[in-house]
Amino acid sequence: MTTNDTARAVERVWRLESSRLLGALLRITRDLDRAEDLAQEALAAALAQWPAEGVPDNPGAWLMTAAKRRAINHLRSGERQLRAYATLAAGTAEAYDEEFAVDRLEDDVLRLMFVCCHPSLTDDTRTVLTLRLVAGLTTREIARAYLTSEATVATRISRAKRTLHTTVAALEEPTGAERIARLASVMSVIYLLFNEGYAATAGIDWTRPALCAEAVRLAALLITVTPREPEAYGLLALLELQSSRLTARIDPAGHPVLLTDQDRRRWDRSAISRGDAALRVALSLGGGGPYVLQAAIAAEHARASSVETTDWARIAALYGTLHQATGSAVVELNRAVAVAMAQGPQAGLTIVDEIEPALPGFHLVPAVRGDLLARLGHYPEAAAQFDRAAELAANGTERALMKARADTCRQRGATAS
């Protein structure tokens, strides 16, 4: 295995394991900065040793062991020396082995999310901090998700850490009413985490299934602590239904496959069944919030045997209700696609024209416009829009898709002329 291969392997492992690692370290050290430092030290050790020794069979356990050793060493040598020695004397390494045991790790990520959603933080800062610490995203990837600058994201992260450091009991897991109060922020984080896996904002992979799986797991854990919250069930339903299409979104060569071209036989029927079940619970609890509405939209897609048999009018109506609830221009862009499928591409273009000023620099605006123009046979104009979408796209695979669609439109335009 080459050094580059090892570096890529380390990056993949880090994406999957960093949140568990940091959650466990935070539980042990009670210090966010120290926990981050220890996690980074474990990562550095992997980058130094794996090229020569090879990637271990259980890389997550390797990272956890490396971090555990460093945590013990830090506690021995730091200002908590006496307490560390007392713990070690009681059970030596066994005491720490228990703290880091696998069955203790199951809830560490969720606990970390609640900590990051402390009420002393603003809504935006909670989400940004959690995406950084829980999802392991870079500031650039978070900036793309937020349609903002990297400097803004970095400032929010630094400010959040300072706030948590000065807030009494900020690193304690919330309970009771406070735990419920943080639910909306936690759900937003889980939702953004899933979206980063479903359509990665940067890098070479169009999807990151491990992030989606983690988001689904967290959503499932979330309903165990809020069993009467319809939006929590709506979120779980949405993620299960969306994740059912993950395999079909990539062809054997790793190229993206759009919804209209997907082989629906490859959709995960088990995930669809779980999503439908969660949606039924949400509706039985009186749910009608944003996550429940999005889950209802996803269910319409899942029920249809083809693009042609999809109830696009129903989907457009649900998007309309969702837009009224959220005011989101991205939701309205999605409604434009559904309206175009139900009423024709010109109807969709009218909506795109109306919302474009609200989404400057968002690559999916020219992508949708290009698709609708191509359906109208305006191939040169469509090609220009796909070129623009490629320029704005940060994800390498998505950028290649936009360029390919632009080339196809140019070829069709040349043939038509």
Side-chain angles (χ1 to χ4, degrees), residues 345-356:
Q346 189 58 58
L349 279 172
T350 300
I351 299 174
V352 174
D353 289 339
E354 293 173 352
I355 64 173
E356 185 171 12

Side-chain angles (χ1 to χ4, degrees), residues 175-194:
T175 58
E178 183 183 354
R179 189 182 181 95
I180 299 300
R182 298 193 203 178
L183 178 61
S185 293
V186 170
M187 288 195 294
S188 176
V189 167
I190 295 174
Y191 178 67
L192 285 176
L193 175 60
F194 180 87

